[in-house]
Amino acid sequence: MGEPVIDVRDLSKHYADIKAIDGITFNVEKGEMFSLLGPNGAGKTTTVEILEGLRDPTSGEARVLGVDVRTGYRKIRERVGVLPQDFEPFDRLQPREAVAYWAQLFDRTLTKKEIDDLISTVGLSDRAETLAMNLSGGEKRRLGIAMSLVGRPQLVFLDEPTTGLDPGARRELWGLIRQLKKEGTTILLTTHYLDEAEQLADDVAIMNHGKIVARGSPAELIAQYGRGSTIVLAGAGEDGLRAVQARGITAELQGVDVVVKVPVASDMRRMLEKLASIDTPLNEIYTRRASLEDVFLSLVGARMQEGVLAT
Amino acid sequence: MNRILADMKAFGTQYLRSRVGTFFALVFPILLILLFGAIFGSSGSSPVTLYVQDVDNSAASHAFTDALNKTNVTTTRAIPSSADFSQYIRDHSINVALQIPSGFQVALAKAQNGTRVTVNLTLAGDQTQSSYGIAVSAVDAVATAFNLQVAKAAPVVNVLPTSVPGLRHLTYIDLFLPGIIGFTILSTPLFGMTAICAEYRSRRYFKLLATTKLSKPEWLAAKVVFHIILLFASVALMVLVGILVFGLKAVVTPMAVLIIIAGTLEFTSLGMALGIFVRDPETGAAIANAIGFPMMFLAGSFFPVDAMPAFLQTGARFLPLTYINEGLRATMTFANDATALVDLLVTLGFAAVFFVVAARGLSWKSK
C-alpha cells in the first residue's frame, strides 16, 4: 500500500475558550470515500479547512498528497478540488462562464468541449447559460462540484454538500458523488446526515467535541456499536408496551411504536415468535437492521437532527 | 497575468450585469454634470428677481427701475405702493426686495441744484442667499450711476474684464468637471470594493479563492485594472456630455490620464484595505460612507478648498482626494502640468501605502 492521500496525526486546533479539534488521527487511502460524521460544532469543517490550507493547526501533523499542508499546500492545490460548506456560486455568472473562469485560476484553459463535458458530468447541460442566481439549491451545489473538478483533482473535499437541500436534490447529488468515486477520485466528505455517510462512505469517522469517537466502515461500526437489530410493533401504543413488558421483554415506546432491541442476530426468530403471540392491537410488525443512527446514539448518547443533538 | 485577466473578465462581467453598479459608475456622474451645469453654468443662468415697491411713483423712480432691468442680472416685479413693505415680503416669502421711498425724485432735483441732500433706498432680504448679494451689487451699481449723473461727473476708474493670456476661455463646467472626475474616482472603487469585500467575506468567496492559484495582489490588481477601464469609460462619457451640452474647453491631458490611473489604484486599494474591517454588507456601507462622503466635500470636488475655513483647508491637505482634484484642475483646466506632477506623486504615494496595507492586511484565511 502506498502513502495515504490524507494522513492526519494527533491534530489539534485550540482557541482561547474551546478545543475545536482535540488530537485526532486518521488517514484516507487513494480512491477511498472517507466521511467525517458529526453534529454541528464537532470539528469537521475545522479539520477540512486545515487540510485545505485555510487554517493553521495548533499542533499535530496534516499531510495531503504527501505534503505538509502548513508549508506546502501551494504545491498541491491544482491537484485538490474543494466544495466549501454553504457553497454559493458567483450570482451573475453562468455555469459555463464560472467553470471556465475557475479553470483559469488554476492556469488551465478549458476548451468548449471540456467545459461542456464538465457541465454535463454534473447534469447542468440544460442550465449552462442560466445565471447562477437563478439556479436551484441543488443546481448550485452541482455547479460547485463542477468548479471543484476543473483541475481533474486526485482528491476532492466535499464539506456538507447536501445540507439544506430537499430529499430529491440530495439523492441526485449522491449519484454524482458515487460517480466521482467510481472514476477513482479520493473524496473526503463531511456530513451530519447519518444516512448520507452510510450510503456513500467506505470509511467513517464519527466526531464529537473535537474528537473522533469511532472509526471504521459503516458495516463495522454498525456491527460493533449498533446493538443488533430492532423489532417494531407499529401503532401498538402504551397498551402494547405494557403487554410486551408483562412478558418480561425490555422495550421502549417511540411515538406510538413499541421498539424491541435484539442485540444478537440468532435471537431474532425466537423474539419474533414471542411478540407475535401477544394479543394486542397494532398496525404492523417489522424488523429494522441497525443503522449508523443507532451507532451514533450508542456512542454519543443522543440522536442527531439536522446537525443538532436532540436532548 | 492570465489569472489577473481571467479574474478581471469574470468580475467585469458580473459588475456590468449589475445595473446598480453600472448606473453609479457611468450614469450618475453624467446626471451630476447635467444638474450642476444647469444650475451654475452660464448657459442656463437666469436673472435674480428683485421685488420693487415704488412709493415715489415718479419719472425718476421709474428710470431707476428701468436701469435695474437693463443690468441683465435683475428683473423687477412690483410690490403695490399701498402694501406694508415688511408684511408683504413675509407673506410672499420674497428673497430680496427694494423700496424706493417717497420724495426720491424731489431729492434728486434738489441735489442737481446744489443742495446737500440724501435719500435712502431700502433693500431687504435673506442675506444668506446668493441672490441677495447679486441684488445688492446691481442696486449699488445703478445708484452709483445716478449719483454720478446728478454730480455731472464721469467715472475715473473703470474695470475691463479679460481672459488670462494663453489660457482657454473657461466656463463653470471647465472648473466643475475635474471635481466630478475626482468624485467618481473616489466613489466607484471605494464604495464598490468595500461592498465586494463584504460580499466575498459573507459568502466565503475569499476562502474559495484561497484554494486556487490566484494570489491576493493578483486579485487586487484585477480589480484595479477593471476600475481603471471603467473610470476611463466614465470620463469619456462625461467629457462628451460636457462638450455637447456645455461647450467644455478643459482637456483630458496625458497628465490627467496618469492621475486617473493613480487615483483609481489608490481608492481601489483603500476600499480593499477597509475591507479588512468589514464583516457584512451593513458595516461595509457604513465604513465607506463614513470615509467617502466627508472626503468628497472637504477635498474640493464640488467647491474649491480655498473657499473653506482655514482649519478645514489644513484638514484637506491630509485627504488623498484633494490631490486628485487639484491635480486634475491644474492640468485639465489651467494646463499646469508642473503643479499636477506634484499632486500625481502624492497620489502615487498614498496608492502605494494603501495597496501594501490591503494586500498584506486582508486575510483570506481563517484564524
Side-chain angles (χ1 to χ4, degrees):
Chain A
M1 190 178 287
E3 189 177 17
V5 175
I6 298 174
D7 191 9
V8 172
R9 291 167 198 258
D10 202 23
L11 192 69
S12 292
K13 179 68 181 177
H14 297 175
Y15 296 101
D17 54 346
I18 194 170
K19 290 179 178 176
I21 306 176
D22 192 9
I24 62 172
T25 297
F26 66 91
N27 54 54
V28 180
E29 300 297 333
K30 186 178 178 189
E32 187 181 8
M33 175 142 18
F34 181 86
S35 176
L36 287 174
L37 172 66
N40 297 338
K44 307 185 299 291
T45 296
T46 305
T47 304
V48 169
E49 289 189 348
I50 289 174
L51 296 175
E52 292 166 350
L54 295 176
R55 290 178 194 265
D56 290 329
T58 306
S59 63
E61 192 180 359
R63 298 179 73 81
V64 172
L65 295 168
V67 306
D68 185 335
V69 292
R70 205 179 333 204
T71 55
Y73 190 82
R74 284 170 167 269
K75 295 176 198 159
I76 56 160
R77 53 186 156 195
E78 61 264 50
R79 295 160 63 196
V80 176
V82 172
L83 178 72
Q85 192 179 38
D86 300 326
F87 169 78
E88 285 284 340
F90 297 97
D91 276 348
R92 290 184 177 80
L93 287 185
Q94 301 164 355
R96 192 188 299 282
E97 294 168 337
V99 167
Y101 162 53
W102 212 243
Q104 286 174 309
L105 298 188
F106 289 94
D107 294 337
R108 291 200 64 203
T109 303
L110 299 182
T111 63
K112 185 177 178 301
K113 183 179 181 312
E114 285 174 316
I115 293 171
D116 287 343
D117 288 347
L118 207 46
I119 297 280
S120 169
T121 299
V122 297
L124 284 178
S125 295
D126 57 342
R127 305 283 276 163
E129 284 164 9
T130 303
L131 289 184
M133 62 199 294
N134 296 324
L135 299 177
S136 69
E139 289 169 336
K140 287 178 180 176
R141 302 288 168 86
R142 286 164 174 273
L143 173 56
I145 291 178
M147 289 165 66
S148 75
L149 298 178
V150 293
R152 292 195 193 121
Q154 294 163 263
L155 168 67
V156 175
F157 291 106
L158 302 176
D159 193 0
E160 304 202 357
T162 64
T163 297
L165 300 185
D166 62 69
R170 281 182 66 208
R171 278 185 166 66
E172 283 179 7
L173 218 52
W174 287 0
L176 176 57
I177 294 168
R178 282 196 188 98
Q179 187 185 327
L180 288 180
K181 179 183 174 332
K182 199 184 288 181
E183 290 166 2
T185 310
T186 307
I187 298 169
L188 192 154
L189 168 85
T190 75
T191 182
H192 56 242
Y193 294 121
L194 296 150
D195 57 340
E196 186 163 287
E198 192 171 338
Q199 288 283 330
L200 298 176
D202 300 310
D203 209 356
V204 176
I206 297 178
M207 289 191 77
N208 195 29
H209 297 308
K211 292 177 182 289
I212 292 178
V213 294
R215 160 93 196 272
S217 69
E220 288 168 351
L221 290 172
I222 290 166
Q224 190 173 353
Y225 301 103
R227 297 178 184 168
S229 299
T230 304
I231 299 171
V232 181
L233 281 65
E238 290 186 8
D239 290 344
L241 179 66
R242 278 193 290 274
V244 169
Q245 287 173 334
R247 295 288 185 95
I249 300 169
T250 304
E252 65 177 275
L253 194 64
Q254 289 181 5
V256 294
D257 299 340
V258 173
V259 176
V260 178
K261 293 279 182 191
V262 185
V264 182
S266 57
D267 292 344
M268 179 60 83
R269 184 188 174 91
R270 187 178 55 79
M271 183 60 77
L272 273 171
E273 287 172 356
K274 205 169 173 181
L275 290 170
S277 68
I278 298 173
D279 184 22
T280 186
L282 50 82
N283 297 332
E284 62 173 324
I285 182 167
Y286 62 87
T287 63
R288 197 176 67 198
R289 191 175 65 87
S291 66
L292 278 184
E293 192 172 344
D294 301 293
V295 173
F296 191 85
L297 179 63
S298 168
L299 289 167
V300 178
R303 295 185 185 280
M304 184 163 58
Q305 289 173 341
E306 287 297 326
V308 178
L309 294 180
T311 53
Chain B
M1 190 63 181
N2 285 342
R3 291 195 292 267
I4 294 175
L5 290 176
D7 190 58
M8 187 192 80
K9 185 182 167 196
F11 177 76
T13 302
Q14 295 179 83
Y15 192 99
L16 295 176
R17 283 176 182 164
S18 158
R19 294 197 173 88
V20 175
T22 312
F23 172 81
F24 279 102
L26 299 177
V27 181
F28 188 62
I30 299 296
L31 292 179
L32 280 183
I33 285 178
L34 291 172
L35 188 66
F36 281 86
I39 293 170
F40 298 113
S42 59
S43 60
S45 63
S46 55
V48 169
T49 301
L50 176 63
Y51 285 79
V52 178
Q53 186 179 42
D54 186 359
V55 181
D56 195 50
N57 196 17
S58 61
S61 64
H62 294 165
F64 196 91
T65 307
D66 290 344
L68 283 171
N69 285 324
K70 284 175 185 168
T71 61
N72 290 328
V73 294
T74 56
T75 51
T76 60
R77 280 197 192 178
I79 296 176
S81 56
S82 59
D84 181 306
F85 184 59
S86 299
Q87 188 64 42
Y88 191 91
I89 289 171
R90 282 196 296 273
D91 289 348
H92 294 81
S93 303
I94 291 171
N95 275 338
V96 57
L98 175 71
Q99 187 182 51
I100 303 175
S102 173
F104 179 73
Q105 181 168 270
V106 171
L108 288 182
K110 284 181 179 173
Q112 277 178 328
N113 293 331
T115 307
R116 287 184 65 87
V117 63
T118 302
V119 61
N120 291 318
L121 304 177
T122 303
L123 191 63
D126 181 353
Q127 298 185 14
T128 63
Q129 300 291 317
S130 58
S131 56
Y132 181 82
I134 293 170
V136 168
S137 301
V139 172
D140 203 37
V142 172
T144 301
F146 268 61
N147 286 333
L148 288 171
Q149 195 180 4
V150 167
K152 296 185 176 64
V156 177
V157 179
N158 278 323
V159 178
L160 295 174
T162 182
S163 301
V164 177
L167 205 63
R168 294 178 285 269
H169 173 69
L170 301 176
T171 59
Y172 175 80
I173 196 70
D174 298 301
L175 296 166
F176 185 63
L177 182 77
I180 288 295
I181 293 175
F183 158 78
T184 312
I185 289 172
L186 173 136
S187 60
T188 302
L190 179 68
F191 293 127
M193 286 304 292
T194 45
I196 287 161
C197 285
E199 183 188 4
Y200 272 51
R201 196 181 294 284
S202 63
R203 303 187 82 174
R204 305 179 197 218
Y205 290 157
F206 283 140
K207 279 188 179 178
L208 200 57
L209 286 169
T211 67
T212 72
K213 287 185 158 184
L214 186 75
S215 67
K216 272 188 294 177
E218 286 173 335
W219 182 77
L220 180 52
K223 305 298 169 286
V224 170
V225 173
F226 171 76
H227 278 111
I228 286 171
I229 294 170
L230 187 66
L231 258 294
F232 277 122
S234 178
V235 169
L237 279 174
M238 284 188 249
V239 169
L240 187 66
V241 170
I243 291 170
L244 293 178
V245 180
F246 300 109
L248 176 78
K249 302 287 192 309
V251 176
V252 181
T253 61
M255 180 61 77
V257 169
L258 293 176
I259 291 174
I260 291 169
I261 291 172
T264 308
L265 169 63
E266 179 181 33
F267 282 105
T268 308
S269 304
L270 178 60
M272 190 174 172
L274 294 176
I276 295 168
F277 308 103
V278 167
R279 289 288 169 269
D280 51 62
E282 289 74 23
T283 55
I287 289 175
N289 288 339
I291 290 178
F293 276 106
M295 201 187 311
M296 70 177 71
F297 288 105
L298 295 176
S301 290
F302 301 113
F303 46 85
V305 173
D306 298 346
M308 294 191 294
F311 74 98
L312 287 180
Q313 289 188 39
T314 305
R317 292 292 116 208
F318 295 95
L319 301 176
L321 183 61
T322 301
Y323 300 93
I324 294 175
N325 286 334
E326 291 185 349
L328 288 174
R329 282 204 180 97
T331 185
M332 291 177 66
T333 308
F334 299 104
N336 184 352
D337 280 0
T339 300
L341 179 62
V342 176
D343 293 311
L344 171 65
L345 293 175
V346 174
T347 301
L348 281 172
F350 273 116
V353 171
F354 292 151
F355 189 92
V356 170
V357 170
R360 283 174 168 259
L362 187 67
S363 175
W364 284 5
K365 294 188 174 186
S366 303
K367 292 280 169 61

